[in-house]
Structure formats: C-alpha cells, structure tokens
Amino acid sequence: MNTLFDKIWDRHVVQQLEGGLNQLYIDRLYAHEVTSPQAFAGMRARGLRCFRPEQIICMPDHNTQTHDQDQPIADPVSRTQVEMLEKNCEEFGLTHFAMNTKDNGIVHVVGPEKGLSLPGMTIVCGDSHTSTHGAMGAVAFGIGTSEVEMVMASQCILQQKPKSMRITVNGILGPCVTAKDVALYLMSQLSTSGATGYFVEYAGSAVESLSMEGRLTLCNLSIEMGARGGFVAPDEVTFEYLRNREYAPKGEEWDKAVAYWRTLRSGDDAVFDRELTFHAADIEPRITYGTNPGMGIGITETIPTLDMIPAMGQASFKKSLQYMGFEPGEKLLGHPVDYVFLGACTNGRIEDFRAFASFVKGKQKAEGVVAWLVPGSWLVRKQIEDEGLDKILQAAGFEIRQPGCSACLAMNDDKVPAGKLSVSTSNRNFEGRQGPGSRTILASPLVAAAAAITGVISDPREM
C-alpha cells in the first residue's frame, strides 16, 4: 500500500521525464512581494500570461510595517516591492490581498484560514515555510523564483520525488508543552539536516491530539530539519477547521470533498523510506541556545558541554555560543531578556494569542522588556478583538500590532537591536535573523509569555 505522500504526489504527476524528474501539477501557487518580481519580469520578457490565474493568490507580508499601515512604507526598497506586487497582479489578472485590507496577512496564515489550502492539494510558494500548509493534508513546499515563473506559465513544476519519512509521536503532551515544543524537540533529535531529502508525515496520538493551529506550527518547522516538507493526514479536526471557510467547498461540493479527503491516509501496510518514533512524555517546554533551530534544550536543562559535541561540530558550536554570549554547561533559566516576539507564520494564529493572553491575564509585563505581539492576519486581529483578548493584553501592558511577518526576519521596521536578546515564537534563530547583531531564543507562546512577565527566561509550568 502506498503512503499518503505517494497518493497525493502520484495523482499530480503529468509525466515522468528522463533522469527521474516529474512534471508535477500544482493546485495552488502563493506569491509574496519578495520572491515574485523576477518571475513576473521573466513572464513579461517572454510575452507569457499566467496559465491558470485563478489558482494563484498574491499578498505582501515580509516588508509590511506592523503600525500605521495606512501610511507609505518608509524603506524605499520595501515600498517598491510591495507596490510592484500590486502592479504585477493588476497586469496579470491575479488575486491580490493588498496590505491594510481585511484579506491580508502572512501568506502561510491566510491560506489555511481562508480555506484556500485544502487536503490533497499540491501547494507551492517562493518561501521555505510553505511546508506550513501540509497541516491541511496537502503536499506543500517552497520553490525558487525561476520555479515560481514556471508555475505561473504552466501550472506545473519539474521536481525529483522526495523520499518518505514517518515521524510518530505517541502519548499525551505534558502541561505547557505545545506543538512548538514538539517541533523544537524533533529538531534537536534529528539535527537541522536529519530529514534532508524526505517528505515527513507526522503521526501518532500526540500529533492527532493537536489542534489545526498546532499542526500548522509543527509542519511550518519541517524545513528546519532539512525536510522538503511535512504534513498531517486530514481527519475530523481538519474538516471542522475548514467547514464554512471562505474558499472551502460548500453544500454538495463540501460533502463530495470530505468523502474524498477521508481516503487520504497511509495504508496500514504502507512502507516508508524511514520511520522514527518518539514519546510525548520525553518533551518539556523548550528553548534554543545557539544559532540554528536544532541547537535546543529542555527549559530546565543546561547547554551541552564541549565534550558532548562531535569533534567536527565543536568549532561551529563554540562560534555559536560566542555569538549568543552563553557558556557551555550554562543553565538559561533566569537569564535576562530584552525583547519578546509573539507572531510569524509559526505562532501568529488565534490559538497562540489565546495562550499568551491566558498566561498574562492579571499580571504585568516586565518593565524592561519590549514586547511585539503581531497577529498573522487581519482575521486573527479581528478574532483577538472579538474575543476581548486585546483588553486582557492591554491591561497587562501589551499592545496588539498590525499583521505582517514583523520581527521574524529583518526586512521591515521591527528589528531587534544589536546585542539584545529576544525570546521569539518565530522559526529561525540565525545570526542577525531578527536584526544585525541580534540574538534570538526560539520558544513557544507560553515560554515567551513567561519571559515577558518575569523579564527572564522562565518555566511556564512553575507560574
């Protein structure tokens, strides 16, 4: 019996070419302002139109400011990219969710919440974290700019079929342990290259217990293990999440769709190229200590000592700790923090804001901490206000900003200053990722909330 990955991939193969390449049909292309300009320029130079424009959705997110979005973007490069996306969409007849409109937000948040990403689809975007959409039971992966042009022109892409991996996490997640902690734990076990060449199916009782928001977080971070993408088989959680979404099927079409989606499972006798099993009981709230997402520890643990690191990795380990200002064997609990960031395509959904708000309710933000709370979309922002979370957060000393990628990456105004330490719910902690010279600790919304209240790295279970 084929794996679910085989079922979806093989169903979309138009033809197999020499050398093992597949011409793969793509159901949905998402495009943002950073990786699309050259693709549009290439189409224009060849006199081409988009083959199936109704299957392409565009929106700015990386460069948008998270305040005063009714004003022009100050940075000229960022402003030009956002303006060019709007002009290109108008010229090529594409759907454009413009900045500061109710439809806008981070592409990997907007797609699922609008029902544009559906089970069984193939989904691509010129962005590595396209793997997020795999939570819907889709095969979703990032592509390069030349490949964006290829999909625009033909609605197909040339790809080698990846190998299949199943990661099973069984058991019940402990108190304050979230999908983000599961992902950080898996990265620490596999390393940032341990899933290279694979498409990962997440399974097991711990994964099945996750909400759709949790699954989106887990799949978002698949790329940080080196995987081509990651996904979760669709189930009742998926169907209930999608029901009545704006672009999801309706009426009889909904019934037909769900009937098909129920078939999207790996068979009991499916054979994977690699299988790994982990136990939920082994996972506690986690933080990173280095400059890649795989350099992580349980929040009560200590940074590894040099003798625990393989010889070939010791130089980069020392360099990473030197950049972060930490020492081998150091415990990070109680370490002062300067910035806290809640948001990004990893943790910018309504569930993340509910968790953060529930934790800080009745408490006060630490005086010395700068906190950026950035919804992943205008819909999330509306949900925050409709549920009264904004009032809880304001009473605790926080403000809600406007949607965008924000401090996930230093392509907009929200930059962490050099030398400052940020506890961030985003997906990457590379050197300078949140601003030149900035230092980043990746964590869940609950760990971020605890740091924002205490001003130091704190275990949310103790609070």
Side-chain angles (χ1 to χ4, degrees), residues 425-444:
T425 66
S426 52
N427 42 50
R428 285 179 175 162
N429 54 341
F430 303 156
E431 291 187 18
R433 170 76 176 181
Q434 293 191 284
S438 63
R439 301 179 296 143
T440 300
I441 287 176
L442 300 179
S444 73

Side-chain angles (χ1 to χ4, degrees), residues 100-360:
N100 204 32
T101 66
K102 68 178 180 61
D103 296 316
N104 183 248
I106 303 173
V107 63
H108 306 314
V109 175
V110 172
E113 74 180 11
K114 282 189 168 292
L116 286 161
S117 300
L118 298 172
M121 276 186 167
T122 49
I123 300 171
V124 296
C125 176
D127 187 282
S128 56
H129 293 104
T130 308
S131 57
T132 308
H133 305 263
M136 314 309 297
V139 168
F141 54 95
I143 57 176
T145 297
S146 62
E147 294 171 311
V148 171
E149 182 181 345
M150 189 185 300
V151 178
M152 286 180 175
S154 67
Q155 208 56 41
C156 291
I157 191 172
L158 297 178
Q159 288 283 294
Q160 294 274 0
K161 184 179 180 180
K163 294 179 289 186
S164 62
M165 176 190 293
R166 180 162 59 188
I167 294 179
T168 302
V169 185
N170 285 321
I172 299 172
L173 296 173
C176 298
V177 176
T178 70
K180 181 65 164 289
D181 301 300
V182 174
L184 291 173
Y185 175 79
L186 294 176
M187 281 185 271
S188 71
Q189 299 299 301
L190 272 76
S191 82
T192 53
S193 60
T196 300
Y198 291 91
F199 228 94
V200 177
E201 177 175 347
Y202 297 102
S205 55
V207 173
E208 292 166 5
S209 72
L210 294 175
S211 65
M212 186 52 62
E213 288 88 350
R215 296 176 186 188
L216 288 160
T217 296
L218 179 61
C219 291
N220 173 270
L221 289 156
S222 302
I223 190 71
E224 308 305 339
M225 300 187 298
R228 195 72 181 91
F231 64 96
V232 178
D235 57 14
E236 295 303 323
V237 173
T238 321
F239 309 150
E240 284 308 306
Y241 177 88
L242 287 170
R243 190 185 301 274
N244 298 321
R245 296 280 172 177
E246 185 176 352
Y247 289 89
K250 306 290 191 302
E252 289 185 13
E253 291 303 312
W254 169 261
D255 295 334
K256 290 178 184 176
V258 172
Y260 166 59
W261 295 342
R262 291 189 191 281
T263 69
L264 297 177
R265 307 197 68 79
S266 294
D268 293 337
D269 55 353
V271 177
F272 292 80
D273 294 301
R274 189 180 182 193
E275 291 225 41
L276 296 170
T277 300
F278 299 94
H279 303 286
D282 296 335
I283 307 173
E284 67 171 341
R286 295 187 67 83
I287 50 176
T288 59
Y289 60 85
T291 54
N292 73 59
M295 299 178 76
I297 53 175
I299 197 161
T300 62
E301 296 176 345
T302 58
I303 296 173
T305 52
L306 195 60
D307 61 300
M308 299 168 67
I309 305 299
M312 62 183 297
Q314 289 184 1
S316 61
F317 174 76
K318 288 190 288 187
K319 179 177 181 290
S320 180
L321 289 192
Q322 183 178 14
Y323 180 85
M324 292 297 295
F326 299 148
E327 296 291 335
E330 182 180 356
K331 201 166 191 173
L332 293 184
L333 273 177
H335 197 290
V337 303
D338 304 300
Y339 281 72
V340 167
F341 171 51
L342 173 66
C345 60
T346 314
N347 284 120
R349 299 175 183 83
I350 187 59
E351 181 180 274
D352 304 309
F353 282 82
R354 288 172 185 154
F356 194 100
S358 70
F359 193 90
V360 304

